Amino acid sequence: MTTANNTRFNAEALSWDTNPDVLLATTLAHKAYLSHLPPPPTLSTYNVLDLGCGTGLLSLALAPSVRSLTAVDAADGMIAALQSKLASPSNPIKNVHPVCTLLTDPDDPLLALDPATQTPVPNRRFDLVVSHLVLHHIPDLPPLFQTIHGCLAPGGRVMVTDFEDFGPGARQFHPEAKMDGVERHGIRREEIRRVLEEAGFVDVKVETAFEMAKKVETEPGSGVMGPEVVFPFLICEGTRR
């Protein structure tokens, strides 16, 4: 992610989990992921990488269903918030490992620790890579998906969710004051399909995952939130041979 992204998300980390739109979008994404994944006997064997995990809302929701989850984010404020949750005496989840890095190398040694055993596994690979509401912050998508492809074991899957670019109205998803680090106003179906296929993924699917109503500014830049707009979210997936 860009410096603008890190600056913004570090500043928002402490209040991130109080945003009802963030909470709702994560809940809906979690349900969408589970509906596209195999049932528990298989899913419980999965080692998962959550790329752009933020404060770990999705990571902690998925963790009870999988063997292990490595949660990666480039913003140290977000990772600190997740570490605080994991360190809480009331936290029952022990299979999540938070990592603060801008991931560009599948062999990054920070990914080596197996959260389930707390032991390093050189050149560790994953059964599933997920990423939620991250793609619209990435300037150049092909390198990201090449890295994701490299992080997966043969037969592993990528599954990402973000809001759809359905035209000029998609810009309203973010208030004008929060445009720093926004690289695109949603993702386009054919573009993301092409990026996945060019990265080497097969069985590529791009479809509507859910829709979410969200209040938008009455006028761009006014800061006054008024009418609701329904934003479609896409789930985009593919398999490494």
Side-chain angles (χ1 to χ4, degrees):
M1 288 190 185
T2 63
T3 301
N5 276 312
N6 283 351
T7 300
R8 174 188 163 191
F9 289 121
N10 281 331
E12 294 186 4
L14 291 178
S15 62
W16 192 251
D17 292 4
T18 65
N19 185 324
D21 291 328
V22 169
L23 296 174
L24 177 57
T26 304
T27 297
L28 294 171
H30 178 228
K31 289 175 64 176
Y33 287 130
L34 291 182
S35 72
H36 284 69
L37 289 167
T42 299
L43 185 57
S44 60
T45 68
Y46 276 27
N47 297 301
V48 180
L49 174 64
D50 183 1
L51 196 54
C53 66
T55 63
L57 290 171
L58 179 62
S59 298
L60 295 175
L62 283 172
S65 301
V66 302
R67 178 184 178 276
S68 75
L69 194 143
T70 300
V72 175
D73 202 286
D76 55 3
M78 291 290 189
I79 290 296
L82 174 54
Q83 289 171 327
S84 178
K85 294 178 187 180
L86 293 171
S88 170
S90 62
N91 169 53
I93 296 173
K94 306 300 180 185
N95 64 338
V96 173
H97 176 54
V99 173
C100 186
T101 189
L102 179 61
L103 186 62
T104 58
D105 180 5
D107 294 321
D108 189 321
L110 293 175
L111 301 183
L113 184 73
D114 180 347
T117 62
Q118 294 297 305
T119 57
V121 178
N123 306 122
R124 190 163 172 259
R125 294 296 183 261
F126 298 87
D127 303 297
L128 175 68
V129 175
V130 298
S131 191
H132 174 56
L133 278 174
V134 172
L135 300 188
H136 68 272
H137 293 291
I138 305 298
D140 193 13
L141 292 177
L144 171 69
F145 281 96
Q146 289 162 11
T147 298
I148 290 173
H149 189 273
C151 287
L152 287 165
R157 296 168 69 185
V158 60
M159 197 170 289
V160 297
T161 43
D162 212 324
F163 70 102
E164 183 176 7
D165 179 356
F166 57 88
R171 182 184 176 90
Q172 299 174 91
F173 189 85
H174 295 92
E176 292 297 316
K178 293 190 175 182
M179 288 296 182
D180 280 353
V182 175
E183 300 292 340
R184 57 181 55 78
H185 303 296
I187 52 176
R188 297 180 178 179
R189 292 176 185 248
E190 291 311 312
E191 178 187 6
I192 195 67
R193 177 183 295 277
R194 182 176 65 254
V195 168
L196 281 162
E197 290 174 347
E198 290 178 353
F201 289 100
V202 297
D203 300 326
V204 173
K205 299 176 184 176
V206 179
E207 59 190 57
T208 301
F210 57 88
E211 294 182 335
M212 190 182 90
K214 184 178 185 291
K215 287 187 176 181
V216 301
E217 288 183 308
T218 54
E219 296 291 339
S222 69
V224 178
M225 309 306 286
E228 285 190 340
V229 171
V230 175
F231 292 90
F233 276 66
L234 299 179
I235 187 164
C236 317
E237 56 183 302
T239 302
R240 176 171 180 169
R241 290 185 187 274

